[in-house]
Amino acid sequence: MSSPAMAARNTLRRSLLYVPGSSQRFLDKSRSLAADCLTYDLEDSVTPHMKAEARSLVRRAIDQPTPSNIRKRAVRINSVDSGLALGDLTEVLQSPNLTTIVIPKVNSASDLTFVTDVINHTLAQQKNQSPEARPPISLSPLSNPLNPLTNLTQICSSTPLLQGLIFAAEDFALDLSITRTPSLTEFLFARSAIATAARAAELPSTIDLVCTAYKSDKADGSPPATLEEECRDGRRLGFNGKQCIHPTQVKTANAIFGPDEEETRWAVRVVIADEKAAAAGRGAWTLDGKMIDVPVAEKARLLLGRQLPVGLMLRSCRKSGSIRSLNRAFFL
């Protein structure tokens, strides 16, 4: 995979905010928001008689340059089974700024194979554009793990364009005729299956279910407790981002799925001390009274690898030999 494609594939998304594609007002307002991934929606938020118009509105929206406050912009097309996906793709792929396609109701690898084939064919027909003139395109399916032992494995290996998995909680609840509860225990198996499958396939992005609460239930206007707990619960399960349906949810998702200061400090101390231990020929050692071995050290490296500024700082210090100053900065 080329380095630009790898860079696009490895972009983490703490918040994925849906914007109705049929509303020009919402599309305009979205440019002032600060989400990791702004996702223009052509599916659930668009009524059937507005589908064609929404395609045109979204196409014009992504034709505009990406605002500096937004990392990535995506388009959620209609499902392959709907018969609308080809029309959606034909329109939005004309924009040279499109980087990510979100595909709903994906239950088999064939859906992603179809989308990949359409992308390759469409881009090949754009003879007036060189491949280097546009960013690489990645895919993020909304997966419903009804048969996780086979479908998720096949989905994760179906296309080199795959960036990650998104949990389609409402589709899952509908298919199984289950009722969503505040504890979310009815989704535990499905969420764990998705997070595990993504990690096994080394996909960088795993985005958790939508939280339906967005209005503050506190006098100070702070985020709903439900939203905060759902984000923390998702992070504990292995997700590194959350779907958002309202701009007020983005700040909470970014904060909870972003770097934790205490955790980052611990990871830097572990990585530095592990290098010292390796130089001294020790495979296991202790830090703050706790044993640190290879799996723990690798976890610390993985955590820092996802935080580009810290990772660059470590590499720079290694090259310059200034690990001692970094030790002092992190109280080693």
Side-chain angles (χ1 to χ4, degrees), residues 256-279:
I256 294 177
F257 286 102
D260 179 84
E261 183 176 349
E262 182 177 345
E263 188 178 39
T264 300
R265 186 179 295 273
W266 167 84
V268 170
R269 295 177 67 208
V270 168
V271 170
I272 295 173
D274 188 59
E275 292 184 357
K276 289 183 175 181

Side-chain angles (χ1 to χ4, degrees), residues 65-311:
T66 304
S68 59
N69 48 297
I70 297 171
R71 291 188 178 182
K72 291 288 181 180
R73 290 185 298 176
V75 174
R76 180 166 73 171
I77 63 173
N78 288 278
S79 68
V80 173
D81 287 344
S82 72
L84 300 171
L86 180 58
D88 293 341
L89 290 167
T90 301
E91 180 69 33
V92 300
L93 284 170
Q94 301 305 313
S95 175
N97 298 325
L98 181 65
T99 60
T100 303
I101 296 172
V102 175
I103 311 161
K105 298 178 175 63
V106 172
N107 290 313
S108 69
S110 61
D111 290 347
L112 298 186
T113 301
F114 170 81
V115 173
T116 300
D117 288 345
V118 173
I119 291 172
N120 292 336
H121 176 77
T122 302
L123 298 188
Q125 299 302 308
Q126 296 176 358
K127 298 180 180 179
N128 58 331
Q129 285 189 14
S130 64
E132 294 77 16
R134 62 174 303 149
I137 294 175
S138 61
L139 304 182
S140 292
L142 279 148
S143 298
N144 178 359
L146 285 176
N147 193 352
L149 295 181
T150 56
N151 285 5
L152 281 178
T153 301
Q154 294 168 358
I155 286 171
C156 288
S157 60
S158 62
T159 172
L161 303 182
L162 191 63
Q163 181 185 59
L165 299 177
I166 307 172
F167 177 41
E170 300 308 320
D171 291 335
F172 183 77
L174 177 64
D175 289 345
L176 268 68
S177 298
I178 59 178
T179 301
R180 177 172 178 154
T181 64
S183 69
L184 301 180
T185 53
E186 62 277 1
F187 295 130
L188 179 59
F189 175 75
R191 294 165 79 198
S192 297
I194 283 185
T196 301
R199 180 58 56 85
E202 298 184 345
L203 300 176
S205 181
T206 50
I207 301 180
D208 202 8
L209 75 181
V210 166
C211 178
T212 57
Y214 62 89
K215 292 184 179 179
S216 177
D217 53 4
K218 304 173 186 177
D220 60 0
S222 55
T226 300
L227 174 61
E228 294 182 335
E229 180 52 34
E230 280 194 19
C231 288
R232 293 191 182 96
D233 186 47
R235 179 165 179 161
R236 286 191 291 265
L237 284 173
F239 289 89
N240 51 34
K242 192 165 185 67
Q243 299 171 78
C244 300
I245 56 172
H246 195 275
T248 58
Q249 296 178 322
V250 170
K251 184 176 181 181
T252 299
N254 284 351
I256 294 177
F257 286 102
D260 179 84
E261 183 176 349
E262 182 177 345
E263 188 178 39
T264 300
R265 186 179 295 273
W266 167 84
V268 170
R269 295 177 67 208
V270 168
V271 170
I272 295 173
D274 188 59
E275 292 184 357
K276 289 183 175 181
R282 288 182 290 146
W285 42 279
T286 60
L287 179 67
D288 299 335
K290 297 180 180 179
M291 189 187 78
I292 307 295
D293 56 8
V294 172
V296 177
E298 287 303 311
K299 178 182 177 181
R301 288 188 173 88
L302 179 63
L303 188 149
L304 294 181
R306 292 174 176 170
Q307 299 173 30
L308 183 60
V310 176

